[in-house]
Amino acid sequence: MRKTPEYALFTRLWKVDGQVLARVFRLGLPMGVTAVAEATLFTVSAVMMGWIGEVPLAAHGIAMQLSSMTFVVHLGLSQAATVRAGRAFGRRDEVALRTGGVAALALSAAMALL
């Protein structure tokens, strides 16, 4: 508060700002619903595999782990590409923007081939 008094941080900490809270809720609601739906679908699929038997459940778990590892690599590459693209766009550097896009696509394709 001493270093940046112009921002008045923590002055209304216990007072709820309904308008801002509603904006944040509207922004986060679609992602929250998506996350709950995704988790529910994966959990229900595992339960259903358990109904079939232990071996199918184990096979399902292995398949889910392998597909998750593949997905996480592509997710990380996409996040890194987004950061690079944002920085290049902010600098108005079209060459770096294209280079970053090509690099992300090439790495993603290499991972998919692997």
Side-chain angles (χ1 to χ4, degrees):
M1 288 177 61
R2 289 184 208 128
K3 291 184 179 184
T4 56
E6 66 273 11
Y7 294 111
L9 297 173
F10 307 116
T11 55
R12 296 178 17 164
L13 188 62
W14 303 112
K15 186 174 180 186
V16 176
D17 188 348
Q19 190 175 23
V20 172
L21 189 60
R23 285 180 58 203
V24 170
F25 185 77
R26 278 194 309 272
L27 182 66
L29 182 64
M31 186 58 202
V33 169
T34 301
V36 168
E38 181 182 351
T40 301
L41 288 171
F42 281 116
T43 302
V44 169
S45 70
V47 168
M48 292 172 73
M49 293 306 290
W51 291 342
I52 296 172
E54 292 177 4
V55 174
L57 178 61
H60 176 73
I62 293 168
M64 291 304 298
Q65 287 297 320
L66 292 173
S67 65
S68 295
M69 287 187 322
T70 304
F71 170 75
V72 168
V73 170
H74 293 290
L75 180 66
L77 287 171
S78 70
Q79 290 175 344
T82 300
V83 171
R84 287 184 54 99
R87 293 179 62 143
F89 184 79
R91 289 191 315 265
R92 300 187 194 286
D93 186 356
E94 190 172 328
V95 173
L97 192 57
R98 289 182 194 276
T99 305
V102 169
L105 287 172
L107 287 169
S108 185
M111 180 56 195
L113 289 173
L114 180 67

